[in-house]
């Protein structure tokens, strides 16, 4: 009797232990992130620029790591998805000549303006091209807005303002106030100029509404920029795209006999009419085009009962490679925070999903290329999905993981978009944390990372950045850290992993939350929806009926 009772107790104990193990989830530690982060951000990876030796080293390393964890290839029997791209290096002339009826000035390249081209002709030039001030360069029917009404800008250069008319207002019904709409994003302005048949488009840079300094734009001078290879598609492209500094724009407005301050005020009104500047510009560019194939890296953990349903974690592996040296002579743009940290988190999450009991749904880990060049890797995946969008439950994106220590909050990018944020809030509340709106909504971060391409095809997407409510020192300190990063490290060689400066305790917390959100979805029948006022809701509903 005694032996039977002992056996029963042992059996129950083992059963209870197994049940506890089933309930427990992987617990992340700094050691899950730091070695991979330090490795990916090291000089060995040469700044992880697509089409370079840095790409080869990076994608092979990621494949090796996924294999070592025991993850399956995510694209048939391959860990890679080829992404056909074209690298276009634009070598602009040193000067641009601008003339009025009474004077001629020479603008200095790199200092006053930055130009590049999407055309692949060996030489692109323009001579005495007319310039038009087109306000914010926006056509937004839902706001009754058309900056191109009553004017033909075909074969002309349009000069437009950065951001959108709502910036600087508290009226959330007017272009969402200080929250940038897609109309305020520089990519939209170039796209609209193309639709209008313009010769070129120059955006007037202003640090506050742009969200970054002109030095970020200057990184594109003489640089090789990547685009999707669209050979066979004879779509029109402007001869050039670019930016001018605010002082340069004011000089041009003065030459045109226009009041810069009044122009800015008038451009914020819906009855604004584009204004011919009666200026003519001339310059030229040499173009070197190279077609090649970059790679997304993709691995998966197949679901046990609903393998056709897919949850996709994304992070971009790329950065800028070698570039202009800083004051110390360092020319490697290591991209430690942006985005070796997110890629390290992707690997850590893959390890966790492989270690824990098999999820019911398939979980895909997608390290995408060419985010820094225009979100091209995720754009290609969205246009050529390995797993149909109809079976893609959600996207969870990581672009920079908190290096500042523990935070009470996370900054939710694109608040009010989808039910993914509700799932996030459930997990945050469990650990005594909360989500807060993006502290810099005018910067348009919702349109600046890879989740946006999933949103554009209707897949609910979650993206948050590190919060600012520091556990020990509060919000003001957290905001100072964010501002310091933009000023001293963003897209600069100084964005390196420095253990004396970084504190990954907060990163561990954030990755744990991202894991819990994905795991809860992976073990449920839940299909998150877009919020009623989201511009992406109708896209999802058009094929999810």
């Amino acid at each position: 009797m005694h032996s039977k009772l002992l056996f029963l107790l042992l059996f129950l104990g083992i059963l209870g232990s197994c049940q506890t193990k089933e309930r427990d989830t992987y617990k992340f530690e700094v050691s899950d992130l730091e070695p991979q982060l330090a490795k990916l951000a090291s000089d060995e990876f040469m700044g992880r620029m697509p089409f370079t030796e840095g790409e080869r080293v990076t994608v092979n390393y990621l494949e090796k790591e996924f294999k070592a964890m025991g993850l399956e290839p995510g694209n048939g029997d391959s860990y890679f998805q080829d992404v056909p791209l074209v690298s276009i290096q634009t070598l602009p002339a040193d000067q641009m000549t601008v003339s009025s009826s009474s004077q001629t000035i020479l603008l200095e390249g790199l200092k006053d303006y930055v130009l590049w081209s999407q055309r692949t002709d060996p030489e692109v030039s323009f001579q005495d091209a007319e310039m038009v001030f087109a306000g914010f360069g926006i056509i937004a029917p839902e706001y009754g807005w058309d900056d191109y009404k009553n004017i033909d800008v075909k074969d002309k250069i349009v000069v437009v303002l950065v951001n959108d008319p709502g910036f600087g207002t508290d009226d959330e019904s007017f272009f969402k106030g200080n929250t940038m709409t897609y109309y305020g994003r520089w990519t939209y302005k170039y796209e609209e100029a193309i639709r209008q048949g313009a010769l070129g488009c120059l955006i007037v840079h202003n640090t506050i509404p742009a969200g970054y300094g002109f030095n970020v734009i200057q990184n594109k001078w003489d640089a090789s920029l990547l685009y999707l290879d669209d050979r066979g598609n004879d779509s029109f492209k402007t001869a050039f795209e670019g930016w001018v500094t605010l002082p340069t724009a004011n000089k041009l407005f003065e030459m045109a006999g226009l009041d810069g301050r009044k122009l800015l005020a008038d451009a914020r009104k819906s009855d604004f009419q584009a204004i011919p500047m009666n200026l003519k510009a001339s310059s030229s560019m040499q173009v070197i085009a190279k077609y090649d194939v970059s790679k997304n890296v993709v691995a998966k953990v197949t679901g046990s009962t609903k393998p056709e349903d897919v949850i996709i974690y994304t992070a971009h592996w790329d950065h800028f490679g070698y570039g202009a040296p800083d004051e110390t002579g360092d020319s490697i743009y290591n991209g430690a925070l942006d985005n070796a940290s997110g890629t390290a988190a992707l690997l850590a999450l893959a390890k966790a999903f492989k270690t824990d009991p098999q999820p019911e749904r398939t979980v895909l880990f997608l390290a995408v290329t060419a985010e820094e060049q225009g979100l091209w890797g995720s754009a290609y995946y969205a246009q050529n999905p390995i797993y149909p969008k109809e079976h893609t439950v959600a996207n969870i994106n990581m672009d920079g993981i908190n290096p500042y220590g523990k935070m009470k909050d996370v900054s939710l990018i694109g608040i009010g978009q989808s039910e993914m944020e509700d799932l996030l809030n459930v997990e945050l509340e469990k650990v005594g944390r909360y989500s807060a709106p993006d502290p810099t909504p005018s910067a348009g971060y919702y349109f600046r990372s890879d989740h946006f391409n999933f949103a554009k095809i209707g897949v609910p997407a979650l993206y948050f950045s590190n919060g600012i409510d520091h556990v020990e020192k509060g919000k003001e300190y957290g905001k100072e850290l964010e501002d310091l990063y933009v000023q001293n490290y963003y897209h600069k060689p100084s964005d390196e992993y420095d253990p004396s400066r970084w504190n990954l305790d907060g990163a561990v917390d954030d990755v744990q939350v991202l894991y819990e959100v994905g795991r809860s979805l992976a073990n449920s029948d839940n299909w998150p929806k877009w919020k009623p006022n989201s511009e992406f809701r109708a896209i999802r509903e058009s094929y999810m009926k």
Side-chain angles (χ1 to χ4, degrees), residues 251-310:
K251 186 184 299 184
L252 296 177
F253 294 147
E254 184 178 349
M255 276 185 70
L258 301 171
D259 183 334
R261 288 182 178 272
K262 185 175 186 301
L263 278 183
L264 180 59
D266 289 346
R268 293 178 180 276
K269 301 173 183 176
S270 61
D271 62 354
F272 168 79
Q273 299 271 351
I275 303 171
M277 298 175 69
N278 296 317
L279 301 178
K280 294 184 177 181
S282 303
S283 195
S284 63
M285 293 163 278
Q286 302 298 313
V287 176
I288 302 170
K290 175 188 175 185
Y291 291 91
D292 209 334
V293 175
S294 187
K295 294 184 185 300
N296 291 333
V297 188
V298 55
K300 68 177 178 178
V301 175
T302 299
S304 59
T305 59
K306 295 183 283 288
E308 69 282 358
D309 293 350
V310 180

Side-chain angles (χ1 to χ4, degrees), residues 20 75 91 114 122 215 225 292 325 332 339 348-349 404 422 426 512 516 520 527:
T20 301
N75 187 15
L91 305 172
V114 172
N215 65 289
L225 304 180
D292 209 334
I332 300 178
N339 187 33
L349 287 159
Y404 305 128
D422 301 329
V426 167
Q512 188 75 51
E516 301 298 345
S520 69
W527 286 83

